[in-house]
Amino acid sequence: MTIHIASQMSSESSQPGRLNLLLAGLRAQLIHAPLILGYWIAYRYVIHTVPGFGNLPFYQLLLKVLVAILPMTLLSYVIFKFCRMVWRERPAHPLRYMALSTFEFFSHPRRLAFGLWMLLSFLIFATIFTDLKENIPRISPFAWDLTFAELDRTLHFGKQPWQWLQPVLGFPLVTFFVNIVYNFWFFVMWIFVVCMAFADSASELRTRFFFAFFLTWSVGGSLLAIVFSSAGPCYFARLGLSPDPYLGLMSYLHSVAEIYPVWALDVQNTLWQSYTDRGLVAGISAMPSMHNATALLLALAGHRLNRRLGVLLWIHCAFIYIGSIHLAWHYAVDNYLGWLIALSCWWVAGPLARWWENQPHIRHLTQSIEMTATPAAASPATR
């Protein structure tokens, strides 16, 4: 007994302190820093070259994003743990189990060392992205909608993609279900991001996923969204474009809204109102589709984590594609370019992640973090 206690005390004394652990976690993930720094520099350049850019000072927008991210991070883990609890664990005291599990997950030293810096990176990145997205029409007015609508018709044998889908999806209950799945996209993404960010160990897959994620959203969500500035099928008539090939689809969606909630229509109206009034809740951009690009990244990474998870995420990816067209958010070509960007960034991130994780000093840092013992009070809730 004495020998066991002495051994445990010796092991704990050799572990790095919390501050050193956090610093090691920061250094182990610096591969993302040049990408985020480059994004910041490009953002500052745009601010100084586009007249009337922005509605809020950066620090106020940063606080606004922080207020949104923190509860979403907590809620995402709670949703994930609740689903796992119902399907697999089924504890005797669910509420106590959920509370203890959530606390232990976010207070675990190793998880904090990896996750805290990734969450901070997301906070900075999301703030820059939000400001750029809200100002896309000022940087580059919508000019590509007619081109993309015609390209869709040409690529899909003389008919718009929604017309091909309508015989299968054109039933109110089906549309309602598609709308639910499409709206849940953010939770699927953020649950995956939170679980990967707060992993208790580093991996080549984790590094690859986050590098590809940041690169995809930088190139697709900002650069190409500005170059190919477009509003999307739901705004075709509001842009004054004619003839409107989406009139039938929008009429159908409004008819469904009289029976079931179609939240896409409410969000579309809110975004347009904010766009015309230059409000704070803005961000209209169709090309490329970041919903579809992100769904593909999740499927690619999820498949390598777990085959069953991968199957679910591939199904989710298919539903996002269908929903983006059926709910009039995107032209089909928006989705195809989004996929191409995601695949390209995933391919680029592979060798970089492999190189980074094989660097001797990075291996040493991650090993020192991973040697940190699980807190003695840990319960089965976190296992």
Side-chain angles (χ1 to χ4, degrees), residues 77-358:
Y77 178 76
V78 169
I79 292 173
F80 163 75
K81 198 64 182 178
F82 177 80
C83 293
R84 186 172 178 177
M85 179 183 70
V86 170
W87 291 334
R88 293 181 57 185
E89 292 159 350
R90 299 178 183 176
H93 305 284
L95 291 179
R96 180 176 177 274
Y97 173 88
M98 287 290 295
L100 187 60
S101 171
T102 302
F103 173 77
E104 291 178 353
F105 181 83
F106 288 108
S107 63
H108 191 293
R110 292 201 303 269
R111 294 188 189 279
L112 281 177
F114 289 115
L116 197 60
W117 297 115
M118 190 56 67
L119 198 63
L120 179 61
S121 298
F122 261 92
L123 174 62
I124 297 170
F125 187 89
T127 303
I128 298 171
F129 174 82
T130 299
D131 208 14
L132 284 171
K133 186 175 178 65
E134 291 180 356
N135 286 278
I136 284 175
R138 298 181 191 175
I139 302 170
S140 177
F142 302 131
W144 286 86
D145 288 86
L146 275 173
T147 301
F148 295 147
E150 180 59 24
L151 187 56
D152 260 7
R153 188 187 65 80
T154 302
L155 290 177
H156 298 89
F157 310 103
K159 294 173 68 174
Q160 291 295 333
W162 75 266
Q163 293 173 314
W164 288 109
L165 294 174
Q166 195 65 9
V168 178
L169 305 179
F171 302 93
L173 189 58
V174 174
T175 299
F176 176 62
F177 176 74
V178 170
N179 194 187
I180 291 175
V181 175
Y182 195 82
N183 276 28
F184 204 67
W185 166 87
F186 180 83
F187 287 101
V188 173
M189 176 193 73
W190 202 243
I191 288 169
F192 194 93
V193 164
V194 168
C195 290
M196 287 286 276
F198 285 88
D200 63 359
S201 62
S203 67
E204 180 185 318
L205 177 62
R206 180 182 181 276
T207 300
R208 181 179 190 178
F209 170 73
F210 283 118
F211 194 90
F213 189 98
F214 288 134
L215 188 59
T216 298
W217 281 76
S218 300
V219 174
S222 294
L223 177 61
L224 293 182
I226 292 171
V227 172
F228 298 114
S229 181
S230 55
C234 58
Y235 301 120
F236 207 86
R238 301 193 204 197
L239 291 173
L241 303 175
S242 183
D244 182 6
Y246 307 100
L247 180 61
L249 176 59
M250 296 307 296
S251 297
Y252 165 76
L253 292 175
H254 280 95
S255 70
V256 174
E258 297 176 1
I259 307 172
Y260 299 106
V262 181
W263 301 297
L265 295 176
D266 297 329
V267 177
Q268 289 163 5
N269 289 334
T270 300
L271 289 174
W272 186 260
Q273 188 66 40
S274 187
Y275 162 67
T276 56
D277 295 343
R278 299 207 166 191
L280 295 180
V281 183
I284 296 175
S285 175
M287 170 66 85
S289 169
M290 299 312 298
H291 273 71
N292 282 274
T294 305
L296 181 58
L297 280 180
L298 297 181
L300 290 168
H303 182 78
R304 293 187 175 228
L305 276 175
N306 180 282
R307 285 192 175 184
R308 289 183 180 179
L309 175 63
V311 169
L312 291 176
L313 288 173
W314 281 113
I315 294 172
H316 173 258
C317 185
F319 268 103
I320 295 303
Y321 170 78
I322 291 170
S324 66
I325 294 172
H326 184 60
L327 299 172
W329 280 114
H330 288 284
Y331 307 103
V333 289
D334 297 345
N335 306 333
Y336 304 152
L337 182 59
W339 288 339
L340 179 60
I341 294 167
L343 282 172
S344 299
C345 293
W346 179 255
W347 179 80
V348 168
L352 282 173
R354 194 158 46 249
W355 166 80
W356 180 261
E357 294 299 334
N358 284 326

